[in-house]
Amino acid sequence: MKLKLFKAKTDSRVPIPYATSEVKAGFPSPAQDYMSEEIDLNIELIHNREATFYVRVSGDSMTDAGIFDGDLAVVDKSLEASDGDFVIAFIDGDFTIKQFQRDTDGQRGWLVPWNKRYPRIEVNASNQFVIWGVVTYVIHALKR
């Protein structure tokens, strides 16, 4: 995966109307007649502007996690990766998005794809390995 960084631009904010009531995922409820607030997705999605970047996902190794080819991932480099986090990692010359898991002994870890067609990638002392950041949000289109 080639990593194309898109720096978060918070100086070009465009407020978007925001419906203050929640949308039910079960039975429908009457729609709200008006939008009373605005929302800025930069404020909602970016918690550390200086350490946040966007990256376009390429490939299908994460489809079972709901991360698809062409999605836009929001990545925070200031967060320390915990067991189970989705991360952007650089391993042995390649960038990838995977779930990070640590063995209980702490001596090695794994980059875990969410597609059974792909193997887990072992991370140990022999790898060239860096976690570039923790994925905080993934945005994908339902219709283009």
Side-chain angles (χ1 to χ4, degrees), residues 99-126:
Q99 185 179 39
F100 179 63
Q101 293 181 349
R102 287 191 175 113
D103 279 353
T104 54
D105 62 9
Q107 298 300 308
R108 63 183 181 166
W110 299 92
L111 294 175
V112 180
W114 278 57
N115 182 330
K116 292 179 182 177
R117 295 184 317 150
Y118 295 90
R120 298 185 324 157
I121 302 168
E122 182 179 356
V123 177
N124 57 42
S126 69

Side-chain angles (χ1 to χ4, degrees), residues 50-116:
E50 292 76 27
T52 300
F53 65 94
Y54 301 107
V55 63
R56 186 74 59 188
V57 175
S58 174
D60 64 352
S61 71
M62 299 300 291
T63 56
D64 290 342
I67 302 172
F68 303 102
D69 184 61
D71 283 359
L72 190 63
V74 181
V75 183
D76 189 332
K77 290 183 72 165
S78 71
L79 298 175
E80 184 175 335
S82 299
D83 187 54
D85 282 345
F86 292 94
V87 299
I88 301 297
F90 181 80
I91 184 162
D92 298 333
D94 290 314
F95 285 99
T96 189
I97 180 171
K98 299 286 184 282
Q99 185 179 39
F100 179 63
Q101 293 181 349
R102 287 191 175 113
D103 279 353
T104 54
D105 62 9
Q107 298 300 308
R108 63 183 181 166
W110 299 92
L111 294 175
V112 180
W114 278 57
N115 182 330
K116 292 179 182 177

